[in-house]
Amino acid sequence: MTKAYYSDQMRYIPVITTEHQRIHEGDMYMLNKAYTTLGTTDKYFYVKPGTYNMHLSVLTGEIETGDLRLELYEAPTIVSNSAPATLINLNRVSTKTTDAIIYETVAASSNGTFLMSIGVFAAGGAGPGVLVSKAAYEIILNKANTYLLRTNIQNAVGDFVLNAIFYEPR
């Protein structure tokens, strides 16, 4: 979806995407995690939307070699969690903050209800593997629920980077 604005000085209507507008409004945030050694243990992220429903619009993963799946579950049973991860406002001049919380180290006795899985594959199992899931795959996370994002390691090796970008309609 795009928004159009008229400018007398420009005499045309510049159009930007909704996501781009969310950045300008200071309502878009990012979780960015980089691991220099992925290891063989799955990574779990416990997601708690705040005051607003969380619109997860971009989910990216990059691995050095091999394959993995990013999986999203609803209503997990969490046994323990670490301190919250840092969530970055993508408008660096905005003073807005989110009250959504994403914990980066958790233990779950149940993953919850499976919602989706996205594969990150390195070509032939070698070379960098990259996944980019953008707004066409946006999923709206209900503020009344909690979620679990899991890196299901298949045979992935080496470095791993995860970006989860979301906005909050206010």
Side-chain angles (χ1 to χ4, degrees):
M1 177 175 205
T2 58
K3 292 184 179 182
Y5 299 90
Y6 178 74
S7 169
D8 287 330
Q9 295 81 18
M10 294 185 269
R11 305 219 185 262
Y12 65 91
I13 302 175
V15 178
I16 63 175
T17 65
T18 299
E19 291 79 13
H20 190 157
Q21 180 63 24
R22 295 289 180 194
I23 293 171
H24 283 266
E25 293 172 356
D27 296 330
M28 189 166 269
Y29 302 89
M30 176 176 65
L31 167 72
N32 173 265
K33 294 307 298 178
Y35 299 93
T36 55
T37 303
L38 186 57
T40 56
T41 304
D42 294 342
K43 308 289 186 231
Y44 292 88
F45 298 88
Y46 180 40
V47 180
K48 295 174 70 173
T51 305
Y52 306 97
N53 293 329
M54 181 185 284
H55 292 238
L56 185 60
S57 62
V58 178
L59 188 60
T60 67
E62 180 177 348
I63 55 175
E64 189 174 337
T65 60
D67 309 318
L68 66 80
R69 288 193 310 264
L70 296 176
E71 298 174 346
L72 184 65
Y73 298 85
E74 187 171 57
T77 303
I78 302 300
V79 177
S80 65
N81 54 262
S82 65
T86 300
L87 301 176
I88 300 165
N89 187 323
L90 294 180
N91 179 336
R92 301 307 300 148
V93 295
S94 174
T95 58
K96 290 183 181 179
T97 59
T98 179
D99 61 350
I101 301 172
I102 300 178
Y103 298 98
E104 65 177 294
T105 305
V106 302
S109 61
S110 167
N111 288 347
T113 303
F114 176 78
L115 296 178
M116 64 185 244
S117 177
I118 302 171
V120 182
F121 306 102
V130 178
L131 157 89
V132 177
S133 173
K134 209 159 169 350
Y137 301 104
E138 177 177 286
I139 185 167
I140 300 171
L141 305 182
N142 187 330
K143 65 183 179 183
N145 293 330
T146 58
Y147 300 87
L148 185 72
L149 180 60
R150 173 187 178 199
T151 62
N152 185 339
I153 299 170
Q154 305 294 296
N155 61 353
V157 178
D159 298 347
F160 173 67
V161 177
L162 170 71
N163 290 308
I165 299 176
F166 67 93
Y167 66 89
E168 300 171 324
R170 298 178 187 221

